[in-house]
Amino acid sequence: MEATLNKAIPIRPAARVRAATEEPLWVKLSLIGLSVGFLMLFLFVPLLAVFTEALRKGIGAYFASLSDPAALSAIRLTLITVAIAVPLNLAFGLAASWAIAKFEFRGKSVLITLIDLPFAVSPVISGLIYVLLFGMQGWLGPWLDSHGVQIIFAVPGIVLATIFVTFPFVARELIPLMQEQGTEEEQAAVTLGASGWQTFWRVTLPNVKWALLYGVILSNARAMGEFGAVSVVSGHIRGKTNTVPLHVEILYNEYNFVAAFAVASLLALLALVTLAAKSVVESRLHHHSQKTLEPATAEE
Amino acid sequence: MSIEVKHIGKSFGSFAALRDVSLRVNDGELVALLGPSGSGKTTLLRIIAGLETADPNPRSEILFHDASVTNRSVGQRRVGFVFQHYALFRHMSVFENIAFGLRVRPRNERPSNPELRDRVNHLLKLIQLEGFGNRYPSQLSGGQRQRVALARALAVEPKVLLLDEPFGALDAKVRQGLRTWLRKLHDEIHLTSVLVTHDQEEALEVADRVVVMNQARIEQVGTPDEVFHRPATPFVMEFLGQVNVFRGRVSGGRVLLGELALDHPRHTAARDGSATVYMRPHELDIKLSRNGAPSLAARVVRLNPAGSVAKVHLRATDGADIQVDLTLDRFHELNLADGDDVFVYPKNARVFVPDYAI
Amino acid sequence: MKPIRRKYSVLPGFGLTMGYTVLYLSLIVLIPLTALLLKSASVGWEEFWRTVSSPSVVASYKLTFGASLIAASINALFGFVVAWTLVRYRFPGKRLVDAMVDLPFALPTAVSGIALTAIYSRNGWIGQYLEPLGIKAAFSPLGIVIALTFIGLPFVVRTLQPALEDLEKENEEAAASLGASRLQSFRYVILPAVLPALLTGFAMSFARALGEYGSVVFISGNMPMKTEITSLLIVSKLEQYDVAGATAIATVMLLASFGLLLAINLLQWWSSQRHRGVA
């Protein structure tokens, strides 16, 4: 009996003890399974559905839906909107981050909160506020109308609503980064005789270029895809005030599912391109910020 | 409780952190693991604790009180581990930090609330932080935090105490105070302790024995006196205290260093070739004229008498830099000035001849 | 409050950039938002109250808040698991999974709306299996929860990831050396440390869900009193040219969003306070 007991306790080679801060393998595997499963169900399946539904009637029907004149005009309008909204917000983001990150003044945190405000406003309300200002029942509507200017149910309203919903993207990427970088490099440039513009162009901008690009990618995606805000101000005039997402809605509500999903697949492709670009820029951003931070931590 | 490690190796990828290291720490002893960063000292400590596992090797073993703990997890080894950056739980008060190890015990081993309070209060007294129980780590100074970390480790009544650069993140003054305090504490509680440090002064002052490590191996184990005055290897010689290093030649059982010829009985058998001669700054004397004994001619480059000894920087005729520490009395007696030509007399020198293995 | 005044700086361009910032901010954001509040004030208290407390509107609040709360809770739970696995474990395809988490941010809401509807409708990929079980996903409150979970998912994951990465391994090692089990380490050491981030992510996901429109309108079916969310009510009032009614409801929603924004800021302030000092 004793002999068997002794045998039952094997002399194990060393180092089979699990590290102190790790979970057992089965826990790890179930958590990975759970999260991948959850993401598959919630993210991957919908994405796959878009392309499957779009190609349900074959590749011919797919391209026919895309080359439909109404679809083309929606694409054109979306591109025009983005071409106006994104550069305007980019210019704003640069101005705001320069003022906020490079100078000390009272009320700075209030200003930052106000810049972030559009994120807290729901899409429908983002459209509604312009209807209240420029619509026929709004403050400026009748006056604008008598001068032959139409904003609501027209392109300017769509552009305004798009600017509103993408307002903070560039600024909120730039402000923290520029604050972190401080003003030492700019001061060095100024002492070396650089003008303000040269300082900005040659010192500040290269330091924040990846964050800037990141902000632009995000606002571009949102600008092309915005639905709620634009829907409220557009008036859904086919061929005139329909952006791509609104065109998807119209086709869907007309039970023209294949065409709706075909046009939607364009937006889904855009989303995938955005994600890819985003992760490339993110790794650059990470790399860059690590590089700039290293000397500071080494000083300790 | 004694600690013994046998044939421990550890590599991280292609980097060898430890190569076949064996060491015994006696019951009640305070041993310092001393070495430059990357020498493997922290890895060794973490392997003793069970925070890291040694590379698989049938001969490798970790024994506490001569019983193997190799296959025990960190929680089962009952070690007190003190981290360099304290690793205090920032969302818990000082009291809760110290009580943590008692609170996570299985219900039947957990002390009752009054018992627990007594124990924590006793520890707070021991670390001289009575009345700080309700504070949060962010409200304490670095030295106070490290004492809390120590109390937290002691609360579970560990059988051994392991300290990983415990004073590394503190400024010089606080460090000195805590060092003295730690030694006093050790004399009171006699807990077998291993302390990792890269600060030789700390190791020599606090420890009963010092383990000097370099490049994943142990160079020497000995009392502070032994490692400082009888270094076993050139590395130990250079790592502990300041030292003047000279390249010399072995010839006919004597070591030749420029015009200086040193008898060296330990190396009488050594073949002729190169040798390294080490002389500590305080083991050199300066004279203004030759007295017949072997000496080195040198010129005074810089004088720094601000301190408990006067540091004299010289340049030998062959261009080598020499540092000599003189007592302030001797310094004033000599009345040196920059540019003076003087003679350096070794009172003691250590010669290392390269291994024949090369 | 004193006028904005800055300390002396050698860098130029403060006046220009600050002026532009304030002007642009006022034109695009502040004046239009003020217009909403003024319009709402001009409606008159009684009519305002009658609008915002009418049965269909109250039903929409219940639905919107309830569904958002459930969705944010689901996201808090699964978002935690996702963030944990992405930060702590290595597995094939991890980078892809990490990038995919942002899909709901990148995918236009209308597209997610019709895609989810297609999947969960009676003969959709998933809906066909739910139907025999008596579960109606599309065109029911459940569908709304699904859509809101989809769009709120990245918030929890993306706020938790940096918090989990910032956790010091030493803290868990300390807990382990003091005898804590892995579960105890998680419960007493890890969870309290990331709780502010988790709550922030939850609140952000909840706030986003409250105002969501595009992804919900397709899957909800928009049955009065049953599956009408508040955003949809605002749109239908506008379509009936009831601008005053739309404004009143929008004001209530806007105040709720601002309240949440305040809560999120307080949470972030709280977490930065707790982390101050301890290196």
Side-chain angles (χ1 to χ4, degrees), chain C residues 35-45 48 247 251:
Chain C
L36 174 77
L37 296 179
L38 285 178
K39 177 80 185 179
S40 174
S42 73
V43 168
W45 176 246
F48 178 88
T247 308
T251 306

Side-chain angles (χ1 to χ4, degrees), chain B residues 161-317:
Chain B
L161 185 61
L162 306 173
L163 306 114
D164 182 14
E165 303 251 12
F167 312 131
L170 302 170
D171 60 58
K173 202 144 195 180
V174 180
R175 232 170 138 128
Q176 179 62 45
L178 270 183
R179 205 189 280 171
T180 318
W181 176 79
L182 178 71
R183 182 65 228 189
K184 241 178 70 195
L185 184 76
H186 183 261
D187 291 338
E188 277 169 37
I189 60 179
H190 282 297
L191 193 58
T192 309
S193 306
V194 182
L195 167 88
V196 160
T197 180
H198 65 266
D199 179 347
Q200 35 146 324
E201 217 179 296
E202 189 167 291
L204 298 178
E205 191 178 317
V206 172
D208 296 316
R209 281 195 305 151
V210 176
V211 177
V212 185
M213 296 188 67
N214 179 38
Q215 292 186 346
R217 289 182 211 277
I218 291 178
E219 293 266 338
Q220 186 176 4
V221 183
T223 63
D225 185 57
E226 278 167 0
V227 292
F228 189 82
H229 291 294
R230 288 196 294 283
T233 64
F235 174 81
V236 178
M237 182 81 218
E238 287 191 54
F239 190 69
L240 292 179
Q242 284 185 304
V243 71
N244 294 298
V245 186
F246 300 95
R247 304 268 156 236
R249 276 190 310 114
V250 179
S251 175
R254 286 161 70 89
V255 180
L256 303 177
L257 193 66
E259 50 187 284
L260 197 69
L262 301 163
D263 281 318
H264 230 279
R266 259 174 69 193
H267 293 295
T268 44
R271 254 191 272 163
D272 291 1
S274 69
T276 315
V277 180
Y278 294 87
M279 296 179 219
R280 296 227 188 259
H282 69 272
E283 292 173 341
L284 294 170
D285 193 17
I286 292 175
K287 287 195 165 62
L288 297 175
S289 55
R290 281 183 204 271
N291 67 353
S295 67
L296 280 171
R299 175 166 291 171
V300 176
V301 178
R302 206 158 60 81
L303 300 168
N304 178 14
S308 53
V309 295
K311 295 184 194 303
V312 181
H313 298 269
L314 306 125
R315 182 151 302 141
T317 40

Side-chain angles (χ1 to χ4, degrees), chain C residues 89-141:
Chain C
Y89 304 148
R90 299 172 63 181
F91 54 92
K94 175 169 146 167
R95 267 190 64 124
L96 188 69
V97 170
D98 198 358
M100 281 286 284
V101 167
D102 281 326
L103 184 73
F105 282 161
L107 197 66
T109 52
V111 179
S112 10
I114 60 170
L116 289 171
T117 313
I119 297 165
Y120 289 96
S121 62
R122 221 173 354 166
N123 36 31
W125 287 347
I126 298 175
Q128 59 180 321
Y129 298 106
L130 297 177
E131 181 84 2
L133 304 172
I135 302 169
K136 197 169 178 244
F139 316 123
S140 79

Side-chain angles (χ1 to χ4, degrees), chain B residues 46 51 74-75 79 81 83-92 100-101 103-105 137-138 145 152-153 156, chain C residues 166 168-181 184-185 188-189 192-193 273-279:
Chain B
R46 290 170 60 87
L51 291 171
V74 56
V79 295
F81 199 99
F83 294 84
Q84 180 177 6
H85 297 289
Y86 331 118
L88 292 177
F89 306 128
R90 58 186 105 194
H91 58 278
M92 292 183 200
F100 181 85
R103 289 206 197 276
V104 295
R105 284 191 182 171
S138 58
R145 284 181 209 165
R152 182 179 68 178
V156 293
Chain C
D166 278 353
E168 283 158 59
K169 202 177 152 215
E170 287 191 349
N171 265 325
E172 289 161 55
E173 290 180 342
S177 78
L178 293 166
S181 69
Q184 283 173 319
S185 286
Y188 298 113
V189 177
Q273 284 297 303
R274 286 195 341 158
H275 286 54
R276 183 172 295 171
V278 185

Side-chain angles (χ1 to χ4, degrees), chain A residues 149-178:
Chain A
V149 180
Q150 201 186 0
I151 289 180
I152 298 307
F153 305 145
V155 176
I158 293 173
V159 173
L160 273 175
T162 306
I163 290 178
F164 184 91
V165 295
T166 58
F167 187 84
F169 279 109
V170 177
R172 70 151 32 192
E173 291 304 323
L174 289 184
I175 292 170
L177 183 65
M178 278 167 70

Side-chain angles (χ1 to χ4, degrees), chain C residues 45-158:
Chain C
W45 176 246
E46 248 174 64
E47 203 198 323
F48 178 88
W49 184 249
R50 196 153 34 78
T51 311
V52 301
S53 64
S54 75
S56 67
V57 178
V58 170
S60 84
Y61 296 150
K62 283 185 187 160
L63 176 68
T64 308
F65 279 82
S68 301
L69 207 60
I70 296 171
S73 308
I74 295 173
N75 278 330
L77 183 68
F78 285 93
F80 196 108
V81 176
V82 171
W84 179 268
T85 47
L86 287 178
V87 171
R88 292 288 173 117
Y89 304 148
R90 299 172 63 181
F91 54 92
K94 175 169 146 167
R95 267 190 64 124
L96 188 69
V97 170
D98 198 358
M100 281 286 284
V101 167
D102 281 326
L103 184 73
F105 282 161
L107 197 66
T109 52
V111 179
S112 10
I114 60 170
L116 289 171
T117 313
I119 297 165
Y120 289 96
S121 62
R122 221 173 354 166
N123 36 31
W125 287 347
I126 298 175
Q128 59 180 321
Y129 298 106
L130 297 177
E131 181 84 2
L133 304 172
I135 302 169
K136 197 169 178 244
F139 316 123
S140 79
L142 177 62
I144 298 175
V145 171
I146 291 171
L148 295 181
T149 307
F150 175 84
I151 54 114
L153 174 70
F155 289 99
V156 176
V157 179
R158 291 300 182 229

